[in-house]
Amino acid sequence: MTSEAHTALLPLNQTAIAASVIRPGGLWRSVDVVPEAGSTNTDLIARSKEGAPEGTVLVTEHQTAGKGRLGRGFTTPARVALTFSVLVRPSVPSDRLGWVSPMMGLAAVAAVREVAGVKAALKWPNDVLVPGEERDGKLAGILAEADFSDADQLGIVVGMGLNVAQTREQLPVENATSLRAEGASGISRDELLTTVLAEFEERYAAWTASAGDAEVSGLAAEYRDVCLTLGRPVRVHLPGDRLLEGTATGVDTQARLLVGERVLSAGDVVHVRPGR
């Protein structure tokens, strides 16, 4: 038996997950668990173009061609991670849509802390980390993509891959971690997913009720409280092979990172530790 077989978790229970999160008047409309997918984001964008409603959730047991920021690709062994995408159609001003992805990060942090007892945090804009003395371990990555095919109703797909049961050897890069690697074994992916969805729904409802105002809804304050990037020296790799170094001083009302006098809406952030 391979190490992958040893660490793989029980299959997700689509019926139980749907029963836990779908309710009259709620955000979630359907939950579909598929055995394998290239990318849940790609597949859900396609469903969005076909008219899938807000609140559609697509989950896979095995993602073979996941998409990260800056075009990075990745694969995940079967049933050791929580890999899913959700579709929302928020009616808020366009300059406030940048909060959808960090919102999923906040939901993930809250769920990991509650279900696994692991004190997760965020790196701007939405990487879920486990802080460490020598390095911060990346627990989950999140990617949001927009569907503009319907001029009257924007679709935003937010996908996440959260490492649950991978051993250190199964993790793709040195700075990655998993709940198992952080000492949280035997975690129910069903419970983890339903908790993430519930936490996201709570924040999404408050945010949309305030017309996407992250300050009024409390989203911005919560984000600043759990974002490790703020106040730290950072090195930001910008599009076009440009590099920016400085101190991250804040996040503005559009979820953009403030580094010195610069306002950044995109970039790959590296936390710079003292002496490095």
PDB file of all heavy atoms in Angstrom, residues 90-119:
ATOM      1  N   PRO A  90     -22.270  38.965  -7.031  1.00  0.00           N
ATOM      2  CA  PRO A  90     -22.562  40.103  -6.172  1.00  0.00           C
ATOM      3  C   PRO A  90     -22.975  41.352  -6.954  1.00  0.00           C
ATOM      4  O   PRO A  90     -22.365  41.692  -7.968  1.00  0.00           O
ATOM      5  CB  PRO A  90     -21.238  40.340  -5.441  1.00  0.00           C
ATOM      6  CG  PRO A  90     -20.191  39.809  -6.371  1.00  0.00           C
ATOM      7  CD  PRO A  90     -20.823  38.642  -7.061  1.00  0.00           C
ATOM      8  N   SER A  91     -24.006  42.027  -6.461  1.00  0.00           N
ATOM      9  CA  SER A  91     -24.437  43.298  -7.051  1.00  0.00           C
ATOM     10  C   SER A  91     -23.878  44.429  -6.198  1.00  0.00           C
ATOM     11  O   SER A  91     -24.573  45.009  -5.361  1.00  0.00           O
ATOM     12  CB  SER A  91     -25.972  43.357  -7.116  1.00  0.00           C
ATOM     13  OG  SER A  91     -26.481  42.338  -7.947  1.00  0.00           O
ATOM     14  N   VAL A  92     -22.607  44.715  -6.385  1.00  0.00           N
ATOM     15  CA  VAL A  92     -21.919  45.771  -5.644  1.00  0.00           C
ATOM     16  C   VAL A  92     -21.083  46.572  -6.633  1.00  0.00           C
ATOM     17  O   VAL A  92     -20.809  46.098  -7.744  1.00  0.00           O
ATOM     18  CB  VAL A  92     -21.010  45.198  -4.524  1.00  0.00           C
ATOM     19  CG1 VAL A  92     -21.812  44.298  -3.584  1.00  0.00           C
ATOM     20  CG2 VAL A  92     -19.828  44.446  -5.108  1.00  0.00           C
ATOM     21  N   PRO A  93     -20.660  47.796  -6.274  1.00  0.00           N
ATOM     22  CA  PRO A  93     -19.804  48.570  -7.175  1.00  0.00           C
ATOM     23  C   PRO A  93     -18.544  47.792  -7.553  1.00  0.00           C
ATOM     24  O   PRO A  93     -17.964  47.078  -6.735  1.00  0.00           O
ATOM     25  CB  PRO A  93     -19.466  49.812  -6.343  1.00  0.00           C
ATOM     26  CG  PRO A  93     -20.629  49.967  -5.409  1.00  0.00           C
ATOM     27  CD  PRO A  93     -21.043  48.570  -5.068  1.00  0.00           C
ATOM     28  N   SER A  94     -18.127  47.953  -8.801  1.00  0.00           N
ATOM     29  CA  SER A  94     -17.011  47.148  -9.318  1.00  0.00           C
ATOM     30  C   SER A  94     -15.714  47.370  -8.560  1.00  0.00           C
ATOM     31  O   SER A  94     -14.892  46.461  -8.468  1.00  0.00           O
ATOM     32  CB  SER A  94     -16.800  47.440 -10.807  1.00  0.00           C
ATOM     33  OG  SER A  94     -16.507  48.814 -11.018  1.00  0.00           O
ATOM     34  N   ASP A  95     -15.507  48.577  -8.004  1.00  0.00           N
ATOM     35  CA  ASP A  95     -14.248  48.828  -7.299  1.00  0.00           C
ATOM     36  C   ASP A  95     -14.186  48.170  -5.932  1.00  0.00           C
ATOM     37  O   ASP A  95     -13.179  48.281  -5.233  1.00  0.00           O
ATOM     38  CB  ASP A  95     -13.976  50.329  -7.181  1.00  0.00           C
ATOM     39  CG  ASP A  95     -15.024  51.061  -6.350  1.00  0.00           C
ATOM     40  OD1 ASP A  95     -16.018  50.440  -5.922  1.00  0.00           O
ATOM     41  OD2 ASP A  95     -14.841  52.282  -6.132  1.00  0.00           O
ATOM     42  N   ARG A  96     -15.263  47.446  -5.557  1.00  0.00           N
ATOM     43  CA  ARG A  96     -15.280  46.742  -4.278  1.00  0.00           C
ATOM     44  C   ARG A  96     -15.193  45.225  -4.441  1.00  0.00           C
ATOM     45  O   ARG A  96     -15.189  44.490  -3.453  1.00  0.00           O
ATOM     46  CB  ARG A  96     -16.546  47.116  -3.489  1.00  0.00           C
ATOM     47  CG  ARG A  96     -16.598  48.593  -3.131  1.00  0.00           C
ATOM     48  CD  ARG A  96     -17.903  48.988  -2.460  1.00  0.00           C
ATOM     49  NE  ARG A  96     -17.851  50.398  -2.010  1.00  0.00           N
ATOM     50  CZ  ARG A  96     -18.848  51.036  -1.397  1.00  0.00           C
ATOM     51  NH1 ARG A  96     -19.991  50.398  -1.168  1.00  0.00           N
ATOM     52  NH2 ARG A  96     -18.713  52.286  -1.029  1.00  0.00           N
ATOM     53  N   LEU A  97     -15.129  44.773  -5.684  1.00  0.00           N
ATOM     54  CA  LEU A  97     -15.132  43.327  -5.934  1.00  0.00           C
ATOM     55  C   LEU A  97     -13.839  42.642  -5.495  1.00  0.00           C
ATOM     56  O   LEU A  97     -13.808  41.421  -5.357  1.00  0.00           O
ATOM     57  CB  LEU A  97     -15.364  43.061  -7.420  1.00  0.00           C
ATOM     58  CG  LEU A  97     -16.758  43.421  -7.944  1.00  0.00           C
ATOM     59  CD1 LEU A  97     -16.799  43.301  -9.457  1.00  0.00           C
ATOM     60  CD2 LEU A  97     -17.829  42.548  -7.299  1.00  0.00           C
ATOM     61  N   GLY A  98     -12.790  43.405  -5.259  1.00  0.00           N
ATOM     62  CA  GLY A  98     -11.532  42.819  -4.818  1.00  0.00           C
ATOM     63  C   GLY A  98     -11.604  42.143  -3.469  1.00  0.00           C
ATOM     64  O   GLY A  98     -10.671  41.414  -3.089  1.00  0.00           O
ATOM     65  N   TRP A  99     -12.693  42.339  -2.744  1.00  0.00           N
ATOM     66  CA  TRP A  99     -12.826  41.727  -1.419  1.00  0.00           C
ATOM     67  C   TRP A  99     -13.338  40.288  -1.461  1.00  0.00           C
ATOM     68  O   TRP A  99     -13.308  39.584  -0.447  1.00  0.00           O
ATOM     69  CB  TRP A  99     -13.757  42.566  -0.546  1.00  0.00           C
ATOM     70  CG  TRP A  99     -13.067  43.762   0.022  1.00  0.00           C
ATOM     71  CD1 TRP A  99     -13.186  45.058  -0.391  1.00  0.00           C
ATOM     72  CD2 TRP A  99     -12.119  43.778   1.094  1.00  0.00           C
ATOM     73  NE1 TRP A  99     -12.371  45.869   0.357  1.00  0.00           N
ATOM     74  CE2 TRP A  99     -11.713  45.110   1.276  1.00  0.00           C
ATOM     75  CE3 TRP A  99     -11.574  42.791   1.916  1.00  0.00           C
ATOM     76  CZ2 TRP A  99     -10.775  45.481   2.241  1.00  0.00           C
ATOM     77  CZ3 TRP A  99     -10.649  43.156   2.869  1.00  0.00           C
ATOM     78  CH2 TRP A  99     -10.257  44.485   3.036  1.00  0.00           C
ATOM     79  N   VAL A 100     -13.829  39.822  -2.611  1.00  0.00           N
ATOM     80  CA  VAL A 100     -14.416  38.476  -2.647  1.00  0.00           C
ATOM     81  C   VAL A 100     -13.371  37.408  -2.321  1.00  0.00           C
ATOM     82  O   VAL A 100     -13.620  36.489  -1.533  1.00  0.00           O
ATOM     83  CB  VAL A 100     -15.069  38.205  -4.017  1.00  0.00           C
ATOM     84  CG1 VAL A 100     -15.599  36.767  -4.077  1.00  0.00           C
ATOM     85  CG2 VAL A 100     -16.213  39.184  -4.260  1.00  0.00           C
ATOM     86  N   SER A 101     -12.195  37.519  -2.907  1.00  0.00           N
ATOM     87  CA  SER A 101     -11.156  36.520  -2.665  1.00  0.00           C
ATOM     88  C   SER A 101     -10.624  36.567  -1.224  1.00  0.00           C
ATOM     89  O   SER A 101     -10.537  35.524  -0.558  1.00  0.00           O
ATOM     90  CB  SER A 101     -10.028  36.721  -3.682  1.00  0.00           C
ATOM     91  OG  SER A 101      -9.000  35.790  -3.487  1.00  0.00           O
ATOM     92  N   PRO A 102     -10.269  37.737  -0.680  1.00  0.00           N
ATOM     93  CA  PRO A 102      -9.867  37.781   0.728  1.00  0.00           C
ATOM     94  C   PRO A 102     -10.956  37.289   1.675  1.00  0.00           C
ATOM     95  O   PRO A 102     -10.664  36.738   2.740  1.00  0.00           O
ATOM     96  CB  PRO A 102      -9.571  39.270   0.968  1.00  0.00           C
ATOM     97  CG  PRO A 102      -9.196  39.798  -0.371  1.00  0.00           C
ATOM     98  CD  PRO A 102     -10.054  39.044  -1.340  1.00  0.00           C
ATOM     99  N   MET A 103     -12.206  37.471   1.276  1.00  0.00           N
ATOM    100  CA  MET A 103     -13.321  36.987   2.092  1.00  0.00           C
ATOM    101  C   MET A 103     -13.263  35.466   2.249  1.00  0.00           C
ATOM    102  O   MET A 103     -13.505  34.924   3.341  1.00  0.00           O
ATOM    103  CB  MET A 103     -14.640  37.392   1.428  1.00  0.00           C
ATOM    104  CG  MET A 103     -15.884  37.158   2.254  1.00  0.00           C
ATOM    105  SD  MET A 103     -17.384  37.523   1.287  1.00  0.00           S
ATOM    106  CE  MET A 103     -17.011  39.155   0.637  1.00  0.00           C
ATOM    107  N   MET A 104     -12.922  34.769   1.171  1.00  0.00           N
ATOM    108  CA  MET A 104     -12.768  33.320   1.264  1.00  0.00           C
ATOM    109  C   MET A 104     -11.585  32.971   2.152  1.00  0.00           C
ATOM    110  O   MET A 104     -11.619  31.983   2.906  1.00  0.00           O
ATOM    111  CB  MET A 104     -12.598  32.714  -0.127  1.00  0.00           C
ATOM    112  CG  MET A 104     -12.451  31.189  -0.131  1.00  0.00           C
ATOM    113  SD  MET A 104     -13.885  30.324   0.576  1.00  0.00           S
ATOM    114  CE  MET A 104     -15.012  30.372  -0.833  1.00  0.00           C
ATOM    115  N   GLY A 105     -10.526  33.777   2.092  1.00  0.00           N
ATOM    116  CA  GLY A 105      -9.392  33.560   2.988  1.00  0.00           C
ATOM    117  C   GLY A 105      -9.792  33.672   4.447  1.00  0.00           C
ATOM    118  O   GLY A 105      -9.390  32.849   5.278  1.00  0.00           O
ATOM    119  N   LEU A 106     -10.589  34.674   4.769  1.00  0.00           N
ATOM    120  CA  LEU A 106     -11.063  34.839   6.143  1.00  0.00           C
ATOM    121  C   LEU A 106     -11.933  33.660   6.574  1.00  0.00           C
ATOM    122  O   LEU A 106     -11.838  33.194   7.714  1.00  0.00           O
ATOM    123  CB  LEU A 106     -11.850  36.147   6.275  1.00  0.00           C
ATOM    124  CG  LEU A 106     -11.028  37.425   6.203  1.00  0.00           C
ATOM    125  CD1 LEU A 106     -11.948  38.645   6.147  1.00  0.00           C
ATOM    126  CD2 LEU A 106     -10.080  37.530   7.395  1.00  0.00           C
ATOM    127  N   ALA A 107     -12.783  33.188   5.667  1.00  0.00           N
ATOM    128  CA  ALA A 107     -13.626  32.036   5.978  1.00  0.00           C
ATOM    129  C   ALA A 107     -12.776  30.805   6.250  1.00  0.00           C
ATOM    130  O   ALA A 107     -13.058  30.024   7.172  1.00  0.00           O
ATOM    131  CB  ALA A 107     -14.590  31.769   4.823  1.00  0.00           C
ATOM    132  N   ALA A 108     -11.713  30.631   5.460  1.00  0.00           N
ATOM    133  CA  ALA A 108     -10.826  29.481   5.654  1.00  0.00           C
ATOM    134  C   ALA A 108     -10.096  29.567   6.984  1.00  0.00           C
ATOM    135  O   ALA A 108      -9.969  28.570   7.706  1.00  0.00           O
ATOM    136  CB  ALA A 108      -9.835  29.380   4.504  1.00  0.00           C
ATOM    137  N   VAL A 109      -9.587  30.750   7.318  1.00  0.00           N
ATOM    138  CA  VAL A 109      -8.890  30.927   8.597  1.00  0.00           C
ATOM    139  C   VAL A 109      -9.813  30.583   9.758  1.00  0.00           C
ATOM    140  O   VAL A 109      -9.426  29.849  10.683  1.00  0.00           O
ATOM    141  CB  VAL A 109      -8.363  32.372   8.723  1.00  0.00           C
ATOM    142  CG1 VAL A 109      -7.943  32.680  10.161  1.00  0.00           C
ATOM    143  CG2 VAL A 109      -7.182  32.594   7.789  1.00  0.00           C
ATOM    144  N   ALA A 110     -11.028  31.099   9.714  1.00  0.00           N
ATOM    145  CA  ALA A 110     -11.980  30.834  10.796  1.00  0.00           C
ATOM    146  C   ALA A 110     -12.302  29.346  10.902  1.00  0.00           C
ATOM    147  O   ALA A 110     -12.370  28.784  12.006  1.00  0.00           O
ATOM    148  CB  ALA A 110     -13.262  31.636  10.571  1.00  0.00           C
ATOM    149  N   ALA A 111     -12.487  28.683   9.751  1.00  0.00           N
ATOM    150  CA  ALA A 111     -12.836  27.267   9.760  1.00  0.00           C
ATOM    151  C   ALA A 111     -11.684  26.404  10.256  1.00  0.00           C
ATOM    152  O   ALA A 111     -11.886  25.460  11.027  1.00  0.00           O
ATOM    153  CB  ALA A 111     -13.258  26.828   8.360  1.00  0.00           C
ATOM    154  N   VAL A 112     -10.465  26.707   9.819  1.00  0.00           N
ATOM    155  CA  VAL A 112      -9.296  25.929  10.244  1.00  0.00           C
ATOM    156  C   VAL A 112      -9.090  26.069  11.750  1.00  0.00           C
ATOM    157  O   VAL A 112      -8.784  25.098  12.444  1.00  0.00           O
ATOM    158  CB  VAL A 112      -8.046  26.379   9.458  1.00  0.00           C
ATOM    159  CG1 VAL A 112      -6.770  25.870  10.118  1.00  0.00           C
ATOM    160  CG2 VAL A 112      -8.130  25.892   8.016  1.00  0.00           C
ATOM    161  N   ARG A 113      -9.249  27.263  12.245  1.00  0.00           N
ATOM    162  CA  ARG A 113      -9.097  27.468  13.686  1.00  0.00           C
ATOM    163  C   ARG A 113     -10.162  26.701  14.468  1.00  0.00           C
ATOM    164  O   ARG A 113      -9.871  26.083  15.493  1.00  0.00           O
ATOM    165  CB  ARG A 113      -9.181  28.959  14.011  1.00  0.00           C
ATOM    166  CG  ARG A 113      -7.985  29.764  13.525  1.00  0.00           C
ATOM    167  CD  ARG A 113      -8.107  31.236  13.916  1.00  0.00           C
ATOM    168  NE  ARG A 113      -6.923  32.000  13.518  1.00  0.00           N
ATOM    169  CZ  ARG A 113      -6.703  33.258  13.868  1.00  0.00           C
ATOM    170  NH1 ARG A 113      -7.597  33.894  14.624  1.00  0.00           N
ATOM    171  NH2 ARG A 113      -5.608  33.887  13.472  1.00  0.00           N
ATOM    172  N   GLU A 114     -11.399  26.715  13.962  1.00  0.00           N
ATOM    173  CA  GLU A 114     -12.498  26.062  14.679  1.00  0.00           C
ATOM    174  C   GLU A 114     -12.430  24.540  14.588  1.00  0.00           C
ATOM    175  O   GLU A 114     -12.548  23.837  15.594  1.00  0.00           O
ATOM    176  CB  GLU A 114     -13.840  26.549  14.132  1.00  0.00           C
ATOM    177  CG  GLU A 114     -15.043  25.879  14.770  1.00  0.00           C
ATOM    178  CD  GLU A 114     -16.365  26.328  14.171  1.00  0.00           C
ATOM    179  OE1 GLU A 114     -16.419  27.427  13.582  1.00  0.00           O
ATOM    180  OE2 GLU A 114     -17.353  25.574  14.280  1.00  0.00           O
ATOM    181  N   VAL A 115     -12.254  24.020  13.382  1.00  0.00           N
ATOM    182  CA  VAL A 115     -12.346  22.577  13.162  1.00  0.00           C
ATOM    183  C   VAL A 115     -11.052  21.857  13.521  1.00  0.00           C
ATOM    184  O   VAL A 115     -11.078  20.767  14.103  1.00  0.00           O
ATOM    185  CB  VAL A 115     -12.734  22.280  11.695  1.00  0.00           C
ATOM    186  CG1 VAL A 115     -12.729  20.775  11.426  1.00  0.00           C
ATOM    187  CG2 VAL A 115     -14.093  22.873  11.371  1.00  0.00           C
ATOM    188  N   ALA A 116      -9.911  22.450  13.182  1.00  0.00           N
ATOM    189  CA  ALA A 116      -8.623  21.777  13.365  1.00  0.00           C
ATOM    190  C   ALA A 116      -7.828  22.295  14.550  1.00  0.00           C
ATOM    191  O   ALA A 116      -6.850  21.665  14.960  1.00  0.00           O
ATOM    192  CB  ALA A 116      -7.790  21.900  12.098  1.00  0.00           C
ATOM    193  N   GLY A 117      -8.215  23.441  15.095  1.00  0.00           N
ATOM    194  CA  GLY A 117      -7.458  24.009  16.199  1.00  0.00           C
ATOM    195  C   GLY A 117      -6.088  24.520  15.792  1.00  0.00           C
ATOM    196  O   GLY A 117      -5.210  24.685  16.633  1.00  0.00           O
ATOM    197  N   VAL A 118      -5.908  24.792  14.508  1.00  0.00           N
ATOM    198  CA  VAL A 118      -4.644  25.318  13.992  1.00  0.00           C
ATOM    199  C   VAL A 118      -4.804  26.819  13.806  1.00  0.00           C
ATOM    200  O   VAL A 118      -5.738  27.275  13.137  1.00  0.00           O
ATOM    201  CB  VAL A 118      -4.269  24.647  12.657  1.00  0.00           C
ATOM    202  CG1 VAL A 118      -3.050  25.319  12.034  1.00  0.00           C
ATOM    203  CG2 VAL A 118      -4.004  23.167  12.879  1.00  0.00           C
ATOM    204  N   LYS A 119      -3.897  27.610  14.382  1.00  0.00           N
ATOM    205  CA  LYS A 119      -4.023  29.059  14.332  1.00  0.00           C
ATOM    206  C   LYS A 119      -3.502  29.588  13.003  1.00  0.00           C
ATOM    207  O   LYS A 119      -2.370  30.051  12.882  1.00  0.00           O
ATOM    208  CB  LYS A 119      -3.295  29.720  15.498  1.00  0.00           C
ATOM    209  CG  LYS A 119      -3.669  31.193  15.629  1.00  0.00           C
ATOM    210  CD  LYS A 119      -3.213  31.808  16.923  1.00  0.00           C
ATOM    211  CE  LYS A 119      -3.685  33.255  17.027  1.00  0.00           C
ATOM    212  NZ  LYS A 119      -3.251  33.905  18.279  1.00  0.00           N
TER     213      LYS A 119
END
